[in-house]
Amino acid sequence: MRDYKGNKDLPVCDVYNEYFTMANGWLKEAFKGWVFKPGMRFGETPRWWGRGMRNGPHEGIDLASYKNANGELIKITPGTRIPVIFSGIITAIRDDYLGKSIFVRHPQFSDGKRILFTAYGHSAPDNDGVPGTEIKEGETPATVADPGEKRPGVPGHLHISTGWIPADLATEDISWNNIVGSDRIVLFDPGLILRKL
């Protein structure tokens, strides 16, 4: 995993929180912002859900709770709808730590050699969210997965990763093992795109 430090060629989505509130029927006025504990942001190493450290730097951000207009902490729960950041094509769906990850390519953001992708981890994909499906910005192909017995003690949450993948990367090569271990795939802080988190 290499961190992308520049931001001049990155698209921006300033309305992701609005997609989230609309998809889940939350009152826009009641949503005041995500709450991040140490270990929830890109590159951090603490385990925010328990003691100890991660095996390596965090590959994205975790959304688990937000503050409402009264300053109360509201946890997102399994079944919470997950909107995509940009229009694209669902490229792969892979098992992950708590559920499944949906990988979306965004060919409109390409320089011919690389393509922007986003990954939505710890999800429960809808039946119509299959590889090859085109999806529009803000649409919801999945919900937050229920960790259940798979990972007791880890609360349901959404993991988002963003990065550049080579345009010639085969679909079967898109997996967490290949992303984290690759020097051809460049991950970067989703906050560079989602500036209003």
Side-chain angles (χ1 to χ4, degrees):
M1 173 178 83
R2 293 183 298 147
D3 183 9
Y4 176 78
K5 298 292 185 190
N7 64 5
K8 64 181 175 16
D9 52 355
L10 290 176
V12 174
C13 178
D14 287 333
V15 292
Y16 192 66
N17 290 339
E18 292 172 26
Y19 293 152
F20 230 103
T21 56
M22 285 188 304
N24 291 289
W26 303 342
L27 294 175
K28 182 180 173 185
E29 308 78 46
F31 179 89
K32 293 303 174 191
W34 297 103
V35 174
F36 292 95
K37 295 179 181 178
M40 290 181 146
R41 294 188 184 269
F42 182 82
E44 295 181 340
T45 54
R47 284 190 184 145
W48 62 266
W49 63 91
R51 294 182 184 181
M53 304 298 271
R54 296 175 183 271
N55 293 333
H58 193 209
E59 307 91 357
I61 59 170
D62 288 337
L63 303 180
S65 59
Y66 65 93
K67 283 205 174 171
N68 68 11
N70 297 325
E72 299 166 316
L73 187 69
I74 309 294
K75 294 180 181 179
I76 65 171
T77 57
T80 300
R81 302 291 315 161
I82 300 170
V84 295
I85 299 169
F86 300 118
S87 297
I89 300 164
I90 296 175
T91 303
I93 299 174
R94 304 279 188 248
D95 288 336
D96 71 24
Y97 180 67
L98 297 177
K100 294 187 179 291
S101 290
I102 298 176
F103 296 90
V104 180
R105 283 182 191 248
H106 307 285
Q108 70 273 32
F109 304 117
S110 173
D111 62 8
K113 295 179 183 177
R114 61 188 188 162
I115 298 172
L116 182 73
F117 82 95
T118 54
Y120 307 87
H122 316 325
S123 71
D126 296 341
N127 291 334
D128 55 351
V130 296
T133 302
E134 290 187 23
I135 189 158
K136 292 189 181 352
E137 183 172 323
E139 288 185 336
T140 59
T143 59
V144 172
D146 183 352
E149 295 177 9
K150 194 170 183 180
R151 292 284 186 252
V154 178
H157 65 280
L158 170 62
H159 171 94
I160 300 175
S161 285
T162 52
W164 294 106
I165 57 174
D168 63 352
L169 186 72
T171 300
E172 58 269 15
D173 290 334
I174 297 177
S175 70
W176 285 115
N177 286 341
N178 291 345
I179 287 171
V180 173
S182 174
D183 47 351
R184 293 184 69 212
I185 296 172
V186 180
L187 296 178
F188 58 85
D189 183 352
L192 295 173
I193 288 176
L194 301 171
R195 296 188 184 167
K196 292 189 176 179
L197 284 178

